[in-house]
Structure formats: C-alpha cells, structure tokens
Amino acid sequence: MSTRKIAIFDTTLRDGEQSPGCSMKLHDKLLVAGNLEALKVDVIEAGFAIASPGDFESVQAIAAQVKGCTVASLARCLKGDIDQAWAAVCKAERPRIHTFLATSPVHMQYKLRMSPEQVLQQAVSMVSYARTLCPDVQFSLEDYTRTEEAFSWRVIEAVIKAGATVVNLPDTVGYAIPEEFGARIRGVMEHVPNVDQATIAVHCHNDLGLAVANTLAALRAGAGQAECTINGIGERAGNAALEEIVMALRTRHDYFSDLTCGVDTTKIMSTSRCVCSVTGSRVQNNKAIVGQNAFAHESGIHQHGMLANRETYEIMTPESIGLTQSQMVLGKHSGKHALKDRLAQLGISLSEDRLQELFTRFKDLADAKKVVTDADIEALARGLEMRPDAQQKLVFDRFLAATGNTNANVSTVRLRVDGQTVEEVAMGSGPIEASFNAINKMLNLHVTIENFSVSAVTANVDAQGECDLRVRHNQRVYLGRGVAQDIIEAAIRAYVHALNGLLEDEQRMTVNAATLAAANVGGGLV
C-alpha cells in the first residue's frame, strides 16, 4: 500500500497568538520559530503581515531566519494585504501567500455583504494576482463547514484553476462532527475535477472539543495538509493540537497505515515548553501528550502493571516525545556544564549570557535547597528575560518589605533604570501592592493589573514561587513572569518583566513617529 505524506502546517505564531493573553514579542516569535524548524514542521504561518508594523517585522524576520520549511503570511483577499504579505515573506527560502475569503451564507450576507458570484470572482481575482508574485499560494474558504457544498466545489475548482497550490477547508467555528467532516472532504475529492492539482488542507477549531478528531477524519478522507498549533492554543477554545495529531498518526499506524508525516516527535516536549514559556499559557495537567500527568501513574493497580510491563498502561513512551529520565541530581556542587546538559534534556536553549545568568540564580537556589528539580530549572528559565540586562530598560536589583496583619505594609524597591540605580518607597494593602506602587512611583506609570497568580513550582515547603501576571496599558496587554523563593520577589520580577515589554513598545512607537515626521518635512506623504 502506498503512503501519503501529510504536510504539517503550524499556525501557533498566527492563529495561536490570537488566543487572549498569548501575544508574543519578536524575540519570542523567533525562539518559537526555531523550535518549529527543529520539530521539522512543513509550514510555519508566521503571522498576518498587514495587521501591524510589529506583525510585518516578525514575519519578515522569521522568513529570513527559517530554513528547510515554508514560511507563510496570512492575507485577506485584498491587493494591499497580498502585497504586504509578499513583501514580508519574499526573502524566505520557501515563501507562501495564504489568502482567504468567507464562503458561508451567513458570512457573505452579514459580514461581506457580497453575493456568492461576487465572492467567487474576488477569490479568483486575488488568487490570480497572488500567483504573479509567489509560486506557492494557499486559499482558504472561511467558514467552510457552514458553506453550501455545491458552492464550495465551484470555489475550490475555480481557485485551483486560478493558480492555488493549496486549498484550505477550515472548520472556522468548530461546528463539524468527524463523520460529517470526513464525508464533506470525500465529496470534494469526488466532485472537484481538478482537485488532484492542489493539496487539500483542513484547519479545525475546538469549540466542541472535536478539532483533532475532525482533522484525523479529514486526513483519512483525502486531505493532505493538517493545520494546527502547539498545545492547541488559539482563538476561543483553540485549534487542533499538533502534538495530538502527530502522535495519533504515529501511535495508531495500524489504523492510519497509509499516512505519514515528517515531524521529529522527540522535539514535541521542548517545543511545547517553549510555547508555554513565551506565552505564559500553561497546559492543563491532564492535557494529552504534553500534560504533566500524561505519563504519571498513581493508582496502585496501574503502578503494578507498569512495573511488570510499561505497555500495560502506556501506548507511547515518554522518550518518543522528548521526555527523558533524569540521571543526575543537581545541587550546589553541580557545575555549569551539568546545568547546560540538563537544559538540553529539557529542550531549553539559551545564549551564553543567559546561561550565565541562569547559572548564577541556580547556585543561589541550590544554596537554599538540597536538590534542584527539573521543575525548578524550567521555572528559573521561564523567569529569565529573553534579552541581556544591557538591553533592558528595567532590571530588578533588590527590595525590602515591612508587612504584617497589624502593621501598614511598606516596600522599598530598587531597580536599575537605563543603567541608573533608582529607589522608591510606597505603601499598599499588602507587600506586593506596596512594591508595585513603589515601581509605579519611580516610573510615573498608571497600569491595570490583570490575571495575577502565584503558584509553587514544586510541592515542597522550600519550593520556589512562580508569578504570572498581565498588565493593561492603552488597550495593550503585556505578560510578566517571575520566579524566586520569595513570592514578593517573584511578583516584582514578573511586574518588571511586563513593564519592560510596555516600555519597549512605547520606545518603538516614539521612534516610528519621529521617522514619519522626518519623512514628511517639506513635502507631505507620498
């Protein structure tokens, strides 16, 4: 039996980033893109180039960095969008323009205010135009699962004839049922005469919890590309999870015997951790494949079976997704080489500067704890700024808090601001609020704090505290993460992390405004 290679199209950096609170900075996106490249996905959808100057910059940088896989940018079916997408990906080793237009009656009538014939004409026109720029053009029928089948066949045939190399059939609102979705894909394969001239792709949302099941049903029915995200992140209830699709194909090869993909599954865990780290969006403990409990066995019956034979309760091995059993205990006598080796096992890659900073913090922690666990190391790495101190506007130095249930809560915080030491004192309803008030005072800032949480990294009484928070300023949201044995320090580090992102954005907007003003001197806009 011949096998079909399924293309894995990862949209973590575009659709995944649209998940509330999962926005990423350029350096975050480059880190994720590097992990996706190592994972050997076929396509990285790097962003929506026309959405903002930051999106354009990110897509362009990823296109220049990534080798060995296609880099795509999303674009509406508009000439300006397509031009911007092409400008962003044109330097890629394998560029792709991905354009889309809604085809369901409800979208055409209420959102587009276009007739079916107008939609068909617009789709054909813009696919034809995109092909004059790029040899690889993907077209998506937005809200395909609520599109009339006969009309969808007409659109698919027409855009393939116009030059589309990939036609994507998304379950945009997570409406489909697996048997139904598979039948629709079979209908496309049977009723579109030129379907063999393009790859049929599917992009499933998880509103009913069926995104992966719908994707697998479509692949069996003839689709050749699966669109997905790491950890299933994305709008609303998220997207089909890449790790679940890939491991289903591998683990149930008896059922999907004619399907294969080129993903290096041993890089799944490191990529999942990377996405968690840069987005601050953790996976639930019982999440399939990458959850903390995915390979944990507490029941006595299960443990007995595991001791006898792992296959009694494990259908895949931890090693198959990149989890390895720790062989060395790390403590205060461990060297930087041992730490670097453990980081590599955990799928964490750091620059030499970042490694040295982590090693310093590791030594401090090891002095306070007998054993430093993998969870401790991961938390320390998550708590690092991705840029060296020299490139950060704010760097935490120290704090001193006076607190109690009968006293006023006062905190003194010292930061380095643009290399200069600044210290302020403030009061608050608690030591953390007092610390934040001190920072706001020294920076003259007014922000709203959202989704503040502090958790223990491990279950021990000497555990580190890990703080995650989001701050809102002028309708923008910034993620902050901090780790320390003292939860007040962890909160301060998280707040400083978020404010660095805020100040970085403000500086960029100031530079852009100055550049625009200089361009307009004596002439006006071109």
Side-chain angles (χ1 to χ4, degrees), residues 101-103 106-114 119 142:
L101 193 60
T103 53
V106 65
H107 276 245
M108 290 190 292
Q109 180 179 351
Y110 294 104
K111 187 179 80 171
L112 300 179
R113 300 188 183 279
M114 295 169 67
V119 166
E142 186 184 5

Side-chain angles (χ1 to χ4, degrees), residues 56-125:
F56 179 87
E57 181 186 10
S58 298
V59 176
Q60 192 174 52
I62 291 166
Q65 171 184 287
V66 168
K67 308 297 178 189
C69 54
T70 298
V71 177
S73 175
L74 189 66
R76 292 168 298 182
C77 250
L78 299 171
K79 188 173 182 295
D81 276 39
I82 291 170
D83 287 339
Q84 192 81 336
W86 175 241
V89 301
C90 64
K91 298 296 177 60
E93 188 177 88
R94 301 176 189 172
R96 177 181 293 182
I97 294 172
H98 177 194
T99 189
F100 70 97
L101 193 60
T103 53
S104 67
V106 65
H107 276 245
M108 290 190 292
Q109 180 179 351
Y110 294 104
K111 187 179 80 171
L112 300 179
R113 300 188 183 279
M114 295 169 67
S115 69
E117 293 306 316
Q118 287 173 318
V119 166
L120 179 60
Q121 183 179 359
Q122 180 79 356
V124 169
S125 173

Side-chain angles (χ1 to χ4, degrees), residues 205-440:
H205 278 265
N206 205 38
D207 297 71
L208 294 175
L210 296 171
V212 171
N214 282 326
T215 300
L216 293 172
L219 297 180
R220 287 202 82 207
Q225 176 177 289
E227 303 201 358
C228 41
T229 62
I230 299 297
N231 301 334
I233 65 171
E235 289 188 283
R236 304 183 313 279
N239 289 267
L242 179 148
E243 62 277 4
E244 295 177 25
I245 294 169
V246 169
M247 291 309 292
L249 293 177
R250 173 184 167 135
T251 305
R252 291 304 311 274
H253 185 64
D254 57 324
Y255 188 75
F256 299 104
S257 57
D258 61 330
L259 304 180
T260 185
C261 75
V263 167
D264 180 354
T265 64
T266 64
K267 299 294 192 299
I268 285 176
M269 202 67 215
S270 57
T271 308
S272 170
R273 286 168 168 158
C274 173
V275 170
C276 287
S277 177
V278 302
T279 63
S281 178
R282 301 185 191 180
V283 298
Q284 65 204 54
N285 287 347
N286 64 337
K287 164 76 170 65
I289 315 300
V290 294
Q292 181 177 316
N293 296 344
F295 294 95
H297 305 273
E298 185 171 335
S299 160
I301 294 173
H302 284 212
Q303 289 175 346
H304 176 75
M306 283 291 296
L307 290 171
N309 187 323
R310 287 173 64 167
E311 291 185 8
T312 53
Y313 288 103
E314 282 189 355
I315 59 171
M316 62 194 110
T317 66
E319 291 80 7
S320 69
I321 64 165
L323 277 173
T324 57
Q325 295 297 319
S326 299
Q327 300 300 317
M328 295 184 296
V329 174
L330 295 183
K332 65 180 181 179
H333 299 298
S334 300
K336 188 161 71 170
H337 181 79
L339 176 62
K340 186 176 182 179
D341 182 70
R342 180 60 57 81
L343 288 168
Q345 291 180 34
L346 296 173
I348 301 170
S349 177
L350 298 174
S351 68
E352 196 59 36
D353 287 343
R354 298 294 83 190
L355 177 61
Q356 183 57 50
E357 182 181 344
L358 182 64
F359 183 62
T360 301
R361 296 188 64 187
F362 161 75
K363 281 292 192 180
D364 291 340
L365 181 63
D367 278 336
K369 299 182 67 175
K370 285 187 176 181
V371 175
V372 180
T373 67
D374 286 353
D376 287 320
I377 294 170
E378 289 179 19
L380 285 175
R382 282 196 298 269
L384 287 179
E385 284 272 15
M386 295 308 298
R387 295 187 174 188
D389 288 351
Q391 297 178 22
Q392 297 172 33
K393 190 174 183 68
L394 308 179
V395 178
F396 171 72
D397 189 353
R398 70 183 190 187
F399 83 100
L400 178 64
T403 183
N405 65 346
T406 60
N407 302 327
N409 292 279
V410 181
S411 182
T412 303
V413 180
R414 191 161 82 183
L415 305 179
R416 291 198 301 277
V417 182
D418 288 329
Q420 302 297 313
T421 299
V422 182
E423 188 171 86
E424 277 292 353
V425 182
M427 298 176 63
S429 60
I432 290 176
E433 184 185 41
S435 301
F436 290 1
N437 287 343
I439 295 172
N440 294 342

